[in-house]
Amino acid sequence: MNAVDRPEGEAPDLWLEEVHGEAALAWVRERNARTEGELCARADYAEFRPRLKALMDARERIPYVSRIGHDFYNLWQDAANPRGLWRRATLDEFRKPAPAWETVLDLDALGRAEGENWVWHGADVCTPARDAEGRPVWRRCLIDLSRGGADAHVLREFDLVERRFIAAGEGGFTLSEAKSSASWIDADTLAVGTDFGPGSMTDSGYPRVIKAWKRGTPLADAPTIHEGEAGDVSAWVSIDDTPGFERIVHGRSIDFYTTAMWLVGPDGSRREISKPADASLGFHERWAVMELRSDFVLADGTRHPAGSLLVAEADALMAQGCEALRWTALFVPTPTCSLGGSTWTRGHVLLNLLDQVANRVEELHFDAATGGWMRRAVALPGPGTLGIGALHEPHLPDDALAEHYWVTYADFLTPDSLMLAEAGRDAPEVLKQRPRYFDAAGLVAEQRFAASADGTRVPYFVVRPKDAPMDGSTPMLLYGYGGFEVSMQPWYSGGFGLAWYERGGALVVANIRGGGEFGPAWHQAAILEHKQRSYDDFAAVAEDLVASGLSSPARLGIMGGSNGGLLVGAAMTRRPDLFGAVVCQVPLLDMRRYHRLLAGASWMAEYGDPDQPEQRAWIERYSPYQALREGVSYPRALFTTSTRDDRVHPGHARRMVARLEALGQPVLYYENIEGGHGGAADNAQRAHLQALEFAYLWSRLGGR
């Protein structure tokens, strides 16, 4: 029997799934050396790596911030601080071209002192205490630190005033490394989900059991307050500390798209929150807000279509139930317009809409006199990608920023900007602007459409030289994702500018089904037994590029990561004749086994359950690992992953490469030891990885 055709149980390469196994890591090091030996010797790698690193470390970048009380916090990485400085400034200081930041935590110094390779994973701040004059003081927070960038992290309590960790011996909260969750119930109590031992984690590797941990008591003695089931994705607790509207919600993520929720009363009793299982429901002060993933019919026959955003009084929801309640639709989708997100100031809800894959913003507020919602369009830059985020701090009664919000804007040829806007007004204040890293005068960005196998019109963006000949000679990189309702929108990239556009390369971003560009229906059209449509759409875009003369198979490369890695893996095995290069990043590839590896079980609502014969049949039709065949010539692909990726198992990429090698196919492989699912832990690693990828692409696709 040929090794590459063995049944799954006899597969000769399963030992590569031993992430830190000695033999597996020796295999990795050998291929890393081979790949680096080839690509690092190229002149373009030698040019790209220092330029990319300098760009990533540049002080002219926008220091994006999050608000904690009166201050604005930023994690800053550069050449001197590769792991980062967590720092803060006031808004007045942040407005300055060169703010005087106060360092709160130096991750590089911490790592050196403790002999650890810490990577920042975020902070959760406790409800503020009050000083002698009754003013709020934000002091206690929980900081998550990951070793090498993995999802698993340690948790440690930190004092924001004294800028130091609070040791366990002083009563500080600490958790050892795990995929934990923790929220402040009060200043001395946490709602904790972590690895408490056998049976405490779901099949997906996330917390199943939530306990209330009192300060100064052993975690082992903490009482259980909420449990999910082993087959759930996770159990969780959400705590809203808005004064006058305090709420604790217990939840189960049953699968990736369905949840069950309970509202916890002051006495600890629980009432289930009535809602459609696949709807997302949250609260803002007096309001319950619900986003639909499927059509919702009320008791009186009123139908709200999937993709709608509904609002109602929270107390009425709990009293009457979801179907009996009269909901108000704040947004109803159209065939070309979907909801990209929403955020609340103190008195307004801001809707970020995605119209033909370009954002626009609408602002609504409740008019008590009429009992209705007033709406207006906000004048913001476009067409491109807008991000919005409210700044209201409810613990400040006279918050000067209560009606303010951040706006970010970018498109393929316009650098990112950060603006401060105020509800009820246009003309936001531009606070920070990223410099132009490449000359866009010779480039054009346009939207085109391809017809998929079933006739569906699939949009895609093209960034190309204005004078590109239509003879298929332009090196072109096609990027896609196509899953989990994630939208692919325009972005500005200095890295692509210096390593791709400057040399005459073109970029294509495909908006294939499985994404969220046109709301839930666009996503649901390409999941489970219909997942093949994502790959049909991607192939249709590639074929359209070739038919139009924009590119040709010899000059057309594809790139994707995670689910996008599955996408390009399926593309190269289904249509090896259509592509000259493949960059497959942190991918899923063996879809027979994905649900048994790390967080894979959490994605069965997207792909299906390989243990069910009917579902296994449709999965096997596209699974890249199983699709490899003798006698087929595949593009010489570059596979990249990370040893510390504890979300998508590195065994996917390892075993795909091993199988290609067994077939006698040329292939390149690079596995970063750190980096987690992002592939890199600091700018030096990111620059090295990106320089390898661009050097590979030029080696395969060449220049004009």
Side-chain angles (χ1 to χ4, degrees):
M1 180 181 293
N2 189 295
V4 297
D5 293 325
R6 290 172 185 263
E8 177 188 318
E10 299 179 26
D13 53 16
L14 289 179
W15 57 275
L16 287 170
E17 292 180 359
E18 299 173 16
V19 177
H20 298 286
E22 184 177 338
L25 288 178
W27 183 95
V28 167
R29 286 190 289 268
E30 179 182 346
R31 280 145 190 83
N32 281 0
R34 188 184 307 160
T35 297
E36 290 177 309
E38 176 179 332
L39 297 180
C40 294
R42 290 182 55 88
D44 40 21
Y45 171 88
E47 175 193 347
F48 294 156
R49 187 181 185 281
R51 292 183 67 193
L52 288 167
K53 176 69 160 52
L55 186 152
M56 295 173 187
D57 289 337
R59 301 196 65 81
E60 295 80 15
R61 289 173 292 137
I62 297 176
Y64 290 102
V65 293
S66 58
R67 187 182 188 188
I68 300 177
H70 300 284
D71 295 317
F72 292 83
Y73 285 67
N74 162 258
L75 182 75
W76 181 260
Q77 294 177 307
D78 59 20
N81 308 281
R83 294 307 165 105
L85 294 176
W86 195 38
R87 56 189 192 171
R88 64 190 171 202
T90 64
L91 180 59
D92 287 342
E93 190 66 32
F94 181 64
R95 279 189 164 100
K96 298 177 182 178
W101 295 93
E102 177 188 19
T103 296
V104 179
L105 177 63
D106 183 333
L107 266 73
D108 294 278
L110 179 70
R112 287 191 296 270
E114 298 182 346
E116 295 280 8
N117 57 342
W118 292 128
V119 175
W120 178 260
H121 262 219
D124 181 37
V125 182
C126 183
T127 302
R130 299 281 170 173
D131 65 13
E133 285 75 38
R135 295 171 299 195
V137 178
W138 286 264
R139 184 166 199 136
R140 299 296 181 94
C141 76
L142 304 173
I143 288 179
D144 296 335
L145 298 171
S146 161
R147 291 183 174 93
D151 285 355
H153 55 268
V154 303
L155 177 146
R156 296 160 69 173
E157 189 174 1
F158 190 83
D159 189 315
L160 291 171
V161 176
E162 298 182 5
R163 294 178 296 168
R164 68 179 184 88
F165 286 104
I166 304 170
E170 301 176 68
F173 290 113
T174 63
L175 287 175
S176 56
E177 185 177 69
K179 291 184 178 180
S180 303
S181 64
S183 302
W184 294 95
I185 296 176
D186 57 47
D188 293 311
T189 314
L190 297 182
V192 174
T194 191
D195 188 350
F196 297 109
S200 65
M201 306 293 276
T202 66
D203 295 341
S204 299
Y206 296 103
R208 187 189 67 80
V209 176
I210 310 294
K211 298 189 176 190
W213 185 17
K214 287 283 187 183
R215 187 183 300 279
T217 66
L219 179 59
D221 294 344
T224 296
I225 57 173
H226 176 48
E227 290 187 64
E229 297 182 5
D232 292 348
V233 173
S234 66
W236 45 270
V237 170
S238 174
I239 299 172
D240 184 351
D241 65 354
T242 301
F245 299 96
E246 294 86 353
R247 293 185 181 93
I248 297 178
V249 173
H250 291 173
R252 289 174 53 208
S253 293
I254 299 168
D255 63 31
F256 208 85
Y257 304 110
T258 62
T259 57
M261 300 167 60
W262 294 264
L263 185 66
V264 181
D267 61 353
S269 61
R270 305 197 317 174
R271 288 187 294 161
E272 186 167 6
I273 300 172
S274 170
K275 74 174 190 68
D278 63 352
S280 299
L281 187 142
F283 297 99
H284 175 76
E285 297 186 350
R286 61 185 276 201
W287 303 108
V289 187
M290 185 164 66
E291 185 175 348
L292 302 179
R293 298 195 74 257
S294 58
D295 290 356
F296 177 48
V297 181
L298 303 183
D300 64 3
T302 301
R303 178 181 295 272
H304 293 287
S308 298
L309 184 70
L310 310 181
V311 66
E313 296 274 359
D315 288 346
L317 169 64
M318 298 308 298
Q320 300 175 33
C322 193
E323 294 182 0
L325 193 60
R326 181 173 294 278
W327 293 86
T328 298
L330 298 183
F331 171 76
V332 177
T334 71
T336 63
C337 186
S338 63
L339 181 65
S342 62
T343 187
W344 290 76
T345 67
R346 179 170 56 194
H348 294 76
V349 58
L350 302 163
L351 306 183
N352 194 356
L353 307 181
L354 194 57
D355 198 346
Q356 287 287 24
V357 204
N359 289 116
R360 57 184 174 86
V361 174
E362 292 184 352
E363 172 188 298
L364 295 86
H365 73 275
F366 183 71
D367 185 351
T370 63
W373 290 83
M374 309 300 290
R375 179 188 308 263
R376 80 178 190 97
V378 183
L380 292 171
T385 302
L386 288 165
I388 55 175
L391 292 177
H392 178 39
E393 173 45 72
H395 295 282
L396 292 172
D398 301 318
D399 182 16
L401 297 174
E403 294 298 340
H404 286 72
Y405 58 98
W406 295 127
V407 176
T408 60
Y409 178 79
D411 58 46
F412 288 117
L413 304 180
T414 305
D416 308 60
S417 57
L418 175 65
M419 296 165 274
L420 182 63
E422 184 176 4
R425 300 173 182 265
D426 290 324
E429 174 190 3
V430 179
L431 295 186
K432 306 290 179 183
Q433 177 77 54
R434 195 177 180 194
R436 292 188 178 274
Y437 289 117
F438 57 88
D439 182 6
L443 297 171
V444 61
E446 57 191 358
Q447 188 178 51
R448 292 175 171 242
F449 294 85
S452 192
D454 62 359
T456 299
R457 198 165 179 249
V458 179
Y460 64 93
F461 294 104
V462 181
V463 186
R464 61 178 177 86
K466 287 181 180 178
D467 59 354
M470 305 297 282
D471 60 1
S473 64
T474 301
M476 188 161 284
L477 180 63
L478 170 58
Y479 187 89
Y481 187 78
F484 297 94
E485 209 170 339
V486 174
S487 301
M488 291 287 100
Q489 295 181 250
W491 71 85
Y492 184 85
S493 171
F496 270 93
L498 71 88
W500 196 244
Y501 302 147
E502 279 186 5
R503 292 183 165 220
L507 173 68
V508 179
V509 178
N511 301 117
I512 62 179
R513 284 174 287 181
E517 288 85 350
F518 299 110
W522 192 250
H523 168 244
Q524 293 162 12
I527 63 172
L528 301 174
E529 69 268 30
H530 302 302
K531 192 64 187 169
Q532 182 64 46
R533 291 173 179 164
S534 292
Y535 314 132
D536 291 342
D537 290 359
F538 198 63
V541 172
E543 290 169 341
D544 197 61
L545 293 170
V546 173
S548 68
L550 282 171
S551 193
S552 60
R555 295 296 178 91
L556 180 57
I558 53 176
M559 175 185 283
S562 192
N563 177 78
L566 170 61
L567 170 70
V568 299
M572 73 169 279
T573 53
R574 291 179 70 244
R575 292 295 308 275
D577 60 306
L578 195 51
F579 310 108
V582 179
V583 180
C584 189
Q585 306 159 315
V586 290
L588 291 91
L589 294 167
D590 182 354
M591 299 305 289
R592 279 185 184 172
R593 292 179 51 75
Y594 84 92
H595 62 313
R596 301 183 184 278
L597 301 172
L598 298 176
S602 66
W603 308 320
M604 286 196 287
E606 180 83 8
Y607 303 122
D609 182 354
D611 290 338
Q612 302 298 318
E614 180 183 359
Q615 298 181 35
R616 183 186 180 105
W618 78 56
I619 290 168
E620 286 181 332
R621 284 198 289 270
Y622 66 79
S623 179
Y625 181 82
Q626 280 75 33
L628 292 171
R629 294 290 182 267
E630 292 268 17
V632 178
S633 179
Y634 297 103
R636 190 189 187 204
L638 170 63
F639 291 83
T640 67
T641 189
S642 164
T643 312
R644 290 294 290 168
D645 188 348
D646 54 355
R647 192 180 314 173
V648 175
H649 199 292
H652 282 281
R654 292 176 181 180
R655 294 181 57 232
M656 185 76 168
V657 169
R659 190 156 188 170
L660 282 164
E661 290 176 344
L663 285 167
Q665 296 285 330
V667 63
L668 291 170
Y669 181 81
Y670 179 73
E671 180 174 321
N672 191 27
I673 302 303
E674 294 188 323
H677 194 49
D682 57 36
N683 289 344
Q685 294 177 15
R686 292 183 191 100
H688 177 57
L689 180 57
Q690 289 183 21
L692 289 174
E693 291 171 344
F694 281 119
Y696 159 80
L697 287 168
W698 284 113
S699 76
R700 296 291 302 169
L701 305 180
R704 277 202 246 166

